[in-house]
Amino acid sequence: HPRLSKLKKELMTDLKILMESCENELIARGYYPKTIAKWKNCWKDLKNWMQSNSISELNEEIAEKYCMQAFGMYYVKVDSPRKNKQGLRAIRLLVSFHLTGDLEAKCPHNPIVLTGPLGNVAKEYLKYCEDELGMRYATLAAKKADLRLICNYAIEKQIDCGALSGQHIESFFQESNFTDSRWCRCGHNMRSFLRFLHAKEYIEEDLSAAVPKSSYREDAKLPSVYSTNEINSILGAVDQTSAMGKRDYLILLLASQCGLRATDIGSLQIGEVDWDRDMICHVASKNGEKLEIPLVASVGNAIYEYLTVRPKSPSNAILVSLKAGRKGLPLTPKRIGTIVSNYIAKADIKDRGNRRHGSHALRHSLATELLEKGTPLPVIGSVLGHRSPESTAIYTKVSPSSLRKCALPMPPLKSTFYADVKTDEK
């Protein structure tokens, strides 16, 4: 048909221009030629599919339809084959460039959606936690993940909000196959949610007592720490002659000498370094606590050295990515943890396999070192940004000098047994 032939010709012209423009942008950002070649093949498959289905315009809806047919997903699934993930990445890159003129940083995971009879009240509860209780993003995300499970359970069992009972709650936990730590966390979140439902009169009685208790104790695990010599070995493993080395060295110092979390290292802004007062002023991402950390000379020098080679970026974050496709974008907490882990492995520290090896281990090491030097727990807590003294007290378990102070004097023994044993030995 003449009209169909014209439509195919226009489609081929438009997609060809789009593919060439996207390819040029990938080349400019430093992507490897082999990677670009693989993605171009995926784009050709998309073009052929659109032609065979007489589709004239590329948009997100069309892209999603194609991806669902070709790869079985439009959002990343952990257990998907690597080839499907690469194909999905290629199509989403092309679509994001077509719609926004920019390249999508990475394929997002399937968003958490709260639906069913409990969906709306779960959203109301999360808004209450954010507005009234001041909970931060990470805490809300963990709660939302747990709430999705109970919402899906209510859909599966066809349970209305008002009909929720203690037996339903017990069955939910019994069928969920949680690990001990997940059971503990989900149980805590579920009790809070059920108390909210009762307070808002969505349910007649408080069902929080129906949540099965867990024997898991979070404080039973000792934090992993590294000695001062080991920290120096980790820092010594960095090649500081390159831009990446200067950046990575700064990351290690911010974790080991300032005690910052990975999220705070990644979100630290240029304007938060007060050079006049020699302080780092930052709001903790986890709990919103205002931190004022002394800017020691080693950290200050490392910041200055890195800023002289830092790539241009629209972001005010100090630490940005040097990787193609993300160049100039702030580092993610996951990437920061990987960087620290790589240098701990490179330092070839003995007994590393029995300890955690992310950025949080360096934070633990700083707290333990301060405690060994006799620094009061409240001061350590303020440096680390802890809200509760109990969060800081856990470090006394890995400090031998602190444990010795807790030792009680041996009471006198009234039994003659030990005296008899001593006499026999003589």
Side-chain angles (χ1 to χ4, degrees):
H1 193 278
R3 184 175 178 277
L4 186 59
S5 300
K6 182 181 178 182
L7 183 137
K8 286 186 176 181
K9 187 175 180 180
E10 290 176 354
L11 172 63
M12 290 177 65
T13 304
D14 292 342
L15 269 181
K16 184 179 180 182
I17 295 173
L18 173 61
M19 289 162 62
E20 289 176 352
S21 300
C22 191
E23 181 183 0
N24 291 335
E25 182 66 20
L26 291 171
I27 294 172
R29 297 197 185 190
Y31 280 87
Y32 290 114
K34 287 185 178 180
T35 302
I36 297 175
K38 290 179 181 178
W39 288 343
K40 285 175 64 177
N41 289 332
C42 296
W43 297 343
K44 290 177 183 177
D45 292 340
L46 171 64
K47 184 178 70 173
N48 294 335
W49 177 82
M50 291 178 65
Q51 289 177 352
S52 63
N53 288 276
S54 303
I55 299 173
S56 60
E57 184 179 355
L58 178 63
N59 54 42
E60 192 165 15
E61 183 180 353
I62 295 300
E64 182 176 358
K65 184 177 180 180
Y66 170 75
C67 289
M68 291 302 296
Q69 288 187 18
F71 316 120
M73 60 181 177
Y74 192 60
Y75 294 96
V76 173
K77 295 180 181 178
V78 178
D79 56 348
S80 298
R82 181 178 178 83
K83 185 178 179 180
N84 288 0
K85 290 181 180 179
Q86 291 177 342
L88 176 65
R89 170 73 166 145
I91 302 304
R92 291 192 66 106
L93 270 177
L94 186 66
V95 173
S96 66
F97 186 75
H98 175 54
L99 298 178
T100 67
D102 197 7
L103 299 176
E104 187 177 57
K106 65 177 183 178
C107 293
H109 287 267
N110 198 13
I112 296 177
V113 181
L114 303 176
T115 57
L118 297 178
N120 290 332
V121 292
K123 294 174 185 176
E124 184 183 344
Y125 167 70
L126 290 174
K127 184 170 179 56
Y128 163 78
C129 291
E130 181 178 12
D131 297 344
E132 301 296 330
L133 303 182
M135 291 184 180
R136 308 292 288 183
Y137 172 79
T139 305
L140 293 171
K143 284 183 175 290
K144 190 173 184 180
D146 290 338
L147 290 173
R148 176 176 61 176
L149 299 178
I150 190 66
C151 287
N152 292 343
Y153 180 81
I155 294 173
E156 180 186 348
K157 302 297 182 180
Q158 299 181 346
I159 305 169
D160 291 330
C161 183
L164 201 62
S165 68
Q167 186 176 358
H168 292 139
I169 301 300
E170 291 179 5
S171 299
F172 165 72
F173 276 89
Q174 290 170 0
E175 297 176 16
S176 294
N177 195 26
F178 288 137
T179 61
D180 291 342
S181 58
R182 184 67 190 279
W183 185 301
C184 180
R185 191 193 77 181
C186 186
H188 173 77
N189 290 333
M190 203 57 58
R191 290 185 193 95
S192 176
F193 177 55
L194 292 170
R195 283 193 288 266
F196 174 82
L197 293 182
H198 177 61
K200 294 292 184 179
E201 299 182 351
Y202 287 114
I203 54 179
E204 293 183 0
E205 59 177 315
D206 184 0
L207 300 177
S208 59
V211 177
K213 293 184 178 180
S214 169
S215 59
Y216 176 79
R217 289 187 59 189
E218 189 172 359
D219 61 353
K221 294 182 179 179
L222 295 177
S224 297
V225 296
Y226 293 86
S227 67
T228 303
N229 291 335
E230 289 174 330
I231 296 292
N232 292 334
S233 298
I234 296 169
L235 294 172
V238 184
D239 177 13
Q240 300 181 50
T241 59
S242 65
M244 182 175 293
K246 294 180 188 295
R247 183 202 65 183
D248 295 349
Y249 185 71
L250 176 56
I251 289 173
L252 293 173
L253 287 179
L254 290 172
S256 63
Q257 297 190 9
C258 297
L260 291 179
R261 300 179 179 92
T263 51
D264 295 321
I265 293 174
S267 61
L268 186 63
Q269 305 289 300
I270 295 175
E272 292 178 330
V273 181
D274 190 338
W275 297 101
D276 295 329
R277 295 194 302 135
D278 288 334
M279 298 288 288
I280 294 177
C281 306
H282 181 72
V283 178
S285 303
K286 183 176 181 180
N287 52 25
E289 290 289 304
K290 293 182 179 179
L291 304 176
E292 285 199 350
I293 303 170
L295 181 63
V296 295
S298 56
V299 177
N301 291 335
I303 293 175
Y304 174 78
E305 289 292 331
Y306 168 66
L307 289 178
T308 60
V309 296
R310 176 181 178 271
K312 293 181 180 180
S313 170
S315 172
N316 288 324
I318 293 179
L319 296 157
V320 295
S321 178
L322 301 173
K323 187 178 180 181
R326 286 191 55 85
K327 191 171 183 178
L329 297 177
L331 290 175
T332 63
K334 183 178 180 180
R335 179 58 186 157
I336 290 171
T338 301
I339 290 171
V340 174
S341 181
N342 289 341
Y343 283 108
I344 292 177
K346 191 175 181 181
D348 196 21
I349 294 172
K350 295 181 180 179
D351 197 32
R352 177 178 60 88
N354 295 326
R355 289 179 281 181
R356 295 184 181 274
H357 38 81
S359 58
H360 227 65
L362 301 186
R363 173 179 162 89
H364 292 325
S365 302
L366 172 65
T368 305
E369 181 185 358
L370 292 174
L371 195 60
E372 290 284 352
K373 292 179 179 179
T375 308
L377 285 177
V379 176
I380 298 175
S382 65
V383 171
L384 300 180
H386 287 161
R387 278 184 175 179
S388 170
E390 295 177 357
S391 300
T392 314
I394 190 174
Y395 296 110
T396 59
K397 296 183 178 182
V398 291
S399 172
S401 60
S402 299
L403 290 174
R404 289 190 191 101
K405 295 177 183 178
C406 301
L408 299 175
M410 184 68 178
L413 297 174
K414 297 180 180 180
S415 174
T416 59
F417 173 77
Y418 295 100
D420 294 340
V421 171
K422 190 174 182 181
T423 303
D424 293 341
E425 290 177 352
K426 288 182 178 180

